[in-house]
Amino acid sequence: MSLRFNAINNLSLDPKGLVESAGKITSYFGSNVFTLKTAREFLSDEAYKSLLASVKNSQKIDRNMANQIANGIRAWAESKGVTHFTHWFQPLTGTTAEKHDSFFTLKGDGTPIEQFEGDALIQQEPDASSFPSGGLRATFEARGYTAWDPSSPAFIMEIGEGKTLCIPTIFVSYTGQSLDYKAPLMKALEALNKAAVDVCNYFDKTVTRVTPTLGWEQEYFVIDEGLYNARPDLVMTGRTVFGHTSAKNQQLEDHYFGSIPERVYAYMRDFEQESYKLGIPLRTRHNEVAPAQFECAPIYEEVNLAVDHNTLLMDVMTRVASRHKLRVLLHEKPFAGINGSGKHNNWSMATDTGVNLLAPGKTPKTNLMFLTFFVNTIKAVHDYADILRSAIASAPNDHRLGANEAPPAIISVFIGQYLSKVLNDVKERVSDKMDETDESMLKIDIHKSIPELLMDNTDRNRTSPFAFTGNKFEFRAVGSSANCANPMTVLNTIMAETLKQFKKDVDGLIEKGEKKEIAIMHTIRQYIIDSEKVLFEGDGYSDAWEKEAEKRGLPNVKTTPLALDAMVTDKSLRLFESNKIYTHSELEARHEIELEKYIKKVQIESRIIGELATSHVLPPAIRYQTLLANNINGLKSAGLPESAYSNQQQILSKISEHISAVSDLVEKMIEARKVCNNMDSTRTKAIAYQSQVKDVFFDPIRYHVDKLELLVDDREWYLPKYREMLFLR
Ligand code: ADP
Ligand code: MG
């Protein structure tokens, strides 16, 4: 029996709904995290204070203190049955990495002991040579090290075999260049903090810290493990390269917010419980639009922690799925013809005085502060749309952006009708001759229109890649499998840069003798005019918008190799260097790594397409072809008239046509790959893989394979079909 039918047979044997409730969430939330509360119990006063200072103000921890803290963490971990620890980091491969060491060691005289020293907490040297570095580490200097990030707490991973203490770290080369997603993110958050505090101080002198916040919404598919294993394309690439759409898919829209299937529900409850132990504050779960597609979202947190929690969650989801004989698909487009998955990044900034800078305020003055940050965000997205686009570019995300799928590759900003009106008012009523009375009148009028805005939560536009949703912006173009760190690094850097410029512009006007609030109004007005063209309220999927965007001069880059160009323009180098996020060589290395990732992904897909076509599709097709031919011959030699076998003949000729087309195209694709592989420059090669391999062969081969799927005897077909993967559970 083929794997396909075996999997279908076994479906009814799989566990359903067997998850024990862990009780009230508050009773175990964060139980596997070394929170500050736990630290209080396990550390001396002195060590606790040192840890606290480091968490709150990024202060350095000295060696002696590090030893004390490490001992405290070990005592806590051992009390929970942990024997091993690892530095947990986020290399540019996109997944998380860990290398386990035991606390167990031998003393000089051979006595076995358990120990965890400060040095081991603070710094480790994983064998870094096999992580991507884009040429930053020459092979003779392959070393890199991981360094403890105290702002994200240590945690215990207890899924699967054993329990491991994980220390969140950043990953850098010996020469100090960052080799991961976290180090630049932390720099960007600091840049934003400085720039935003300066601007806040125009309105409120007591603000001393601004923390960007992130709430992500993770979309994913869930399918049966047996069916997954019978699809080598899913196993190797995370998406199906073949598969005819099933008769029913999402057209009835009966899945969205529908009741969650029992088996998936058990899986959700299980991974949620594991997440709560790890302090991931999941809040929402529901079905998504496509069959077998779901979403979960947490309560937002400060960006660094939210990023760690998202990468951790993706790991937890993957591990817990196998307990339920399920597979979670985090790929942006696992199935052609139905919706793909994204990861909306809800983003805002909070002050240490408790104000959300993107929430409309309660007084005219706080509303001017809101308007300042609101308009600066629009300006940032306008000025750096190309760099923002590059931050979400990846081979899998190309199936969403730029395909007929949400959202488009054009970066635009949606703000809703009330705020559009407010911006218009500012534009029209702020003038050079404006005096204090005009200024305060306008401020009061803006303030008056804010309550309307707060009521305005129905005015949602699901097609915008960057939308204001009441008290935050929602960056929707991020891919479901992406590490949010990269888009968050870019967003916070461009915001920092824009706010710095804003401060310069306002101060310039103040020096010329303008009153502060009038100077702010003038600058806001100018920024609105400068960035107006990025605002768009209409249907982002329409062809009309593509044409309109082109007229407005907005970039619309549909493929990853070209979108990545924006990483290394002069503009980009200046932006990241002046804000101390990336040096030139770091940026160039990252650009190289992203291109290489793209090439490898397309190359692997191309190989699996060729292999599956040859070994999984053609054999049953040829067998069926033979069967038909024999049947026709038999009928002919029995002396039956043509009408007895003309239908078979038609099917036979169609099958034969598709069989030749598939073998022919696969041959040509292999040749095209050879041409690409001989190219020297990574960029040229990536473009060639996209335009000469992917664009030319993937869809045509799929077309013929999917036709064969409909023609060939169902019992003969090896690959699980869409209807089975998406509807059976
Ligand atoms: P939806 O957008 O699906 O209607 P919500 O608006 O309730 O859902 O929230 C989506 C996500 O936005 C949640 O993770 C939520 O915590 C987050 N969010 C809410 N406020 C903020 C904020 N100030 N900063 C960042 N994220 C936020
Ligand atoms: Mg949302």
Side-chain angles (χ1 to χ4, degrees):
M1 191 171 15
S2 74
L3 279 176
R4 174 180 164 217
F5 286 107
N6 212 9
I8 294 173
N9 272 341
N10 285 338
L11 269 172
S12 55
L13 305 175
D14 284 334
K16 287 185 177 66
L18 302 174
V19 176
E20 231 176 276
S21 166
K24 260 171 79 173
I25 296 165
T26 44
S27 70
Y28 66 97
F29 186 77
S31 58
N32 278 349
V33 184
F34 193 70
T35 57
L36 285 174
K37 193 162 156 276
T38 317
R40 195 76 211 82
E41 283 170 42
F42 282 85
L43 299 181
S44 69
D45 284 351
E46 204 185 12
Y48 176 75
K49 259 192 219 143
S50 161
L51 178 67
L52 195 65
S54 161
V55 171
K56 295 256 145 78
N57 316 313
S58 329
Q59 269 172 34
K60 263 211 141 91
I61 290 177
D62 71 39
R63 192 149 291 219
N64 172 33
M65 268 323 137
N67 272 329
Q68 286 197 37
I69 295 172
N71 269 325
I73 296 181
R74 177 170 62 89
W76 167 71
E78 282 178 346
S79 76
K80 295 191 157 271
V82 173
T83 51
H84 283 65
F85 71 95
T86 177
H87 273 199
W88 182 80
F89 59 106
Q90 300 173 29
L92 298 169
T93 48
T95 46
T96 55
E98 40 192 87
K99 174 190 161 235
H100 298 193
D101 282 306
S102 62
F103 293 137
F104 164 80
T105 189
L106 296 175
K107 284 174 89 165
D109 63 359
T111 320
I113 54 157
E114 314 264 332
Q115 78 173 24
F116 183 44
E117 291 189 322
D119 287 349
L121 168 66
I122 287 181
Q123 190 167 317
Q124 287 271 293
E125 235 180 88
D127 176 16
S129 52
S130 31
F131 290 108
S133 77
L136 279 182
R137 272 180 285 98
T139 26
F140 60 86
E141 185 47 294
R143 293 187 306 172
Y145 64 92
T146 51
W148 180 34
D149 162 23
S151 69
S152 182
F155 58 88
I156 296 167
M157 183 59 113
E158 62 167 10
I159 304 159
E161 294 290 304
K163 293 184 179 184
T164 308
L165 169 68
C166 299
I167 311 287
T169 55
I170 58 167
F171 182 37
V172 283
S173 77
Y174 253 81
T175 40
Q177 284 142 322
S178 51
L179 298 172
D180 71 347
Y181 282 117
K182 246 172 94 95
L185 175 67
M186 291 170 74
K187 292 177 188 167
L189 298 175
E190 197 40 46
L192 181 100
N193 167 43
K194 282 211 187 81
V197 166
D198 280 350
V199 171
C200 279
N201 288 344
Y202 282 137
F203 308 94
D204 181 353
K205 288 264 179 269
T206 63
V207 172
T208 63
R209 190 154 188 95
V210 171
T211 314
T213 50
L214 166 65
W216 37 262
E217 300 164 58
Q218 178 74 53
E219 292 183 333
Y220 60 97
F221 282 83
V222 178
I223 70 165
D224 175 75
E225 184 176 61
L227 293 168
Y228 172 91
N229 286 336
R231 292 283 318 210
D233 47 356
L234 276 181
V235 176
M236 307 306 289
T237 71
R239 76 175 181 104
T240 54
V241 295
F242 302 139
H244 201 282
T245 29
S246 44
K248 170 181 186 278
N249 49 61
Q250 65 189 47
Q251 63 273 63
L252 297 177
E253 302 198 325
D254 50 356
H255 189 65
Y256 191 52
F257 282 0
S259 68
I260 299 168
E262 199 54 39
R263 194 170 160 207
V264 178
Y265 182 49
Y267 162 61
M268 286 178 173
R269 288 194 329 257
D270 200 1
F271 82 66
E272 283 168 0
Q273 289 183 7
E274 294 299 345
S275 302
Y276 293 142
K277 290 189 211 161
L278 291 164
I280 304 171
L282 287 180
R283 182 93 195 274
T284 313
R285 57 163 106 103
H286 61 78
N287 285 6
E288 259 305 325
V289 177
Q293 191 187 27
F294 307 89
E295 179 185 300
C296 63
I299 299 164
Y300 71 90
E301 301 175 280
E302 58 173 276
V303 173
N304 186 28
L305 196 56
V307 165
D308 280 1
H309 280 165
N310 180 247
T311 46
L312 192 52
L313 176 83
M314 291 196 284
D315 191 19
V316 168
M317 286 172 81
T318 308
R319 291 177 197 232
V320 173
S322 52
R323 296 212 281 238
H324 297 257
K325 294 195 160 53
L326 291 169
R327 287 297 172 140
V328 62
L329 308 178
L330 296 166
H331 192 284
E332 280 74 0
K333 192 75 176 174
F335 303 98
I338 60 175
N339 279 15
S341 299
K343 179 148 54 199
H344 296 178
N345 277 204
N346 295 271
W347 169 86
S348 189
M349 294 151 286
T351 66
D352 55 351
T353 53
V355 175
N356 173 355
L357 291 170
L358 290 174
K362 293 198 178 68
T363 63
K365 187 165 170 174
T366 48
N367 269 326
L368 187 57
M369 176 155 90
F370 158 69
L371 198 61
T372 299
F373 281 88
F374 179 70
V375 169
N376 270 280
T377 311
I378 297 172
K379 176 92 161 41
V381 175
H382 169 272
D383 290 357
Y384 299 101
D386 55 340
I387 302 180
L388 205 51
R389 166 72 181 92
S390 74
I392 47 164
S394 70
N397 214 17
D398 277 2
H399 292 284
R400 299 172 65 230
L401 314 172
N404 46 356
E405 166 98 30
I410 309 159
I411 301 287
S412 65
V413 182
F414 171 87
I415 59 173
Q417 72 182 97
Y418 290 101
L419 281 163
S420 300
K421 195 175 146 292
V422 169
L423 295 196
N424 226 23
D425 277 0
V426 173
K427 215 174 89 181
E428 275 164 17
R429 290 174 51 185
V430 173
S431 70
D432 293 346
K433 299 184 289 293
M434 180 183 223
D435 61 21
E436 278 176 44
T437 328
D438 303 331
E439 185 260 328
S440 68
M441 284 288 291
L442 175 57
K443 221 162 56 184
I444 286 163
D445 285 351
I446 293 172
H447 184 61
K448 279 193 198 142
S449 41
I450 296 293
E452 293 174 60
L453 161 69
L454 293 176
M455 311 276 280
D456 177 32
N457 50 20
T458 48
D459 192 9
R460 291 284 186 94
N461 181 325
R462 309 305 301 183
T463 68
S464 177
F466 202 93
F468 185 71
T469 47
N471 55 6
K472 62 195 186 283
F473 275 98
E474 189 166 331
F475 188 19
R476 301 202 181 112
V478 182
S480 52
S481 69
N483 185 323
C484 308
N486 196 25
M488 280 295 122
T489 300
V490 172
L491 184 56
N492 287 290
T493 304
I494 64 179
M495 190 61 184
E497 177 66 22
T498 307
L499 289 168
K500 266 162 52 182
Q501 187 59 45
F502 182 82
K503 168 124 175 88
K504 266 190 217 149
D505 293 344
V506 171
D507 286 351
L509 294 177
I510 293 175
E511 269 164 35
K512 282 190 193 145
E514 277 189 18
K515 186 179 161 271
K516 182 177 78 186
E517 298 208 336
I518 292 184
I520 290 172
M521 286 275 195
H522 276 146
T523 312
I524 289 180
R525 175 175 191 267
Q526 191 55 49
Y527 280 25
I528 294 172
I529 294 170
D530 291 346
S531 49
E532 232 166 13
K533 73 173 197 291
V534 80
L535 297 178
F536 178 64
E537 305 286 298
D539 178 3
Y541 303 159
S542 67
D543 293 338
W545 169 230
E546 244 186 84
K547 294 205 185 85
E548 166 71 18
E550 195 182 335
K551 249 197 257 159
R552 295 191 194 181
L554 300 177
N556 180 10
V557 189
K558 295 192 177 184
T559 63
T560 292
L562 294 178
L564 293 174
D565 282 348
M567 291 176 78
V568 285
T569 53
D570 287 344
K571 176 169 122 187
S572 173
L573 296 174
R574 233 180 300 125
L575 168 75
F576 287 111
E577 195 157 65
S578 68
N579 286 288
K580 301 199 167 55
I581 315 295
Y582 295 123
T583 60
H584 282 207
S585 59
E586 281 174 322
L587 259 187
E588 268 147 22
R590 256 156 225 263
H591 180 232
E592 187 79 8
I593 290 169
E594 289 304 326
L595 286 171
E596 272 166 13
K597 271 204 288 206
Y598 180 85
I599 294 169
K600 283 180 193 151
K601 289 215 159 132
V602 177
Q603 193 175 47
I604 292 170
E605 288 193 349
S606 168
R607 286 189 190 142
I608 206 82
I609 287 172
E611 189 188 319
L612 279 190
T614 314
S615 65
H616 279 62
V617 173
L618 292 185
I622 292 170
R623 271 204 299 281
Y624 194 51
Q625 187 185 36
T626 315
L627 190 85
L628 285 168
N630 290 344
N631 171 274
I632 294 163
N633 280 339
L635 294 172
K636 259 190 200 166
S637 51
L640 287 164
E642 203 185 328
S643 60
Y645 50 83
S646 62
N647 278 333
Q648 287 89 315
Q649 243 165 353
Q650 269 180 27
I651 301 175
L652 178 61
S653 82
K654 278 192 205 156
I655 287 192
S656 307
E657 179 198 317
H658 295 306
I659 288 177
S660 335
V662 169
S663 6
D664 196 40
L665 286 165
V666 166
E667 279 310 308
K668 289 193 175 127
M669 179 170 73
I670 294 170
E671 289 309 312
R673 250 181 10 230
K674 282 187 192 148
V675 175
C676 296
N677 290 342
N678 283 327
M679 293 176 170
D680 292 332
S681 125
T682 319
R683 180 173 178 274
T684 323
K685 192 163 157 184
I687 294 173
Y689 256 104
Q690 171 248 314
S691 61
Q692 306 302 318
V693 179
K694 178 171 176 278
D695 289 0
V696 177
F697 294 103
F698 285 16
D699 281 349
I701 295 177
R702 177 174 200 141
Y703 171 82
H704 293 288
V705 169
D706 291 356
K707 286 286 178 202
L708 284 171
E709 183 187 318
L710 292 186
L711 291 168
V712 171
D713 181 357
D714 184 59
R715 286 176 313 174
E716 288 277 328
W717 198 255
Y718 299 155
L719 297 169
K721 298 187 170 179
Y722 270 30
R723 61 166 186 265
E724 293 151 2
M725 290 184 284
L726 294 170
F727 291 96
L728 298 182
R729 39 183 79 93

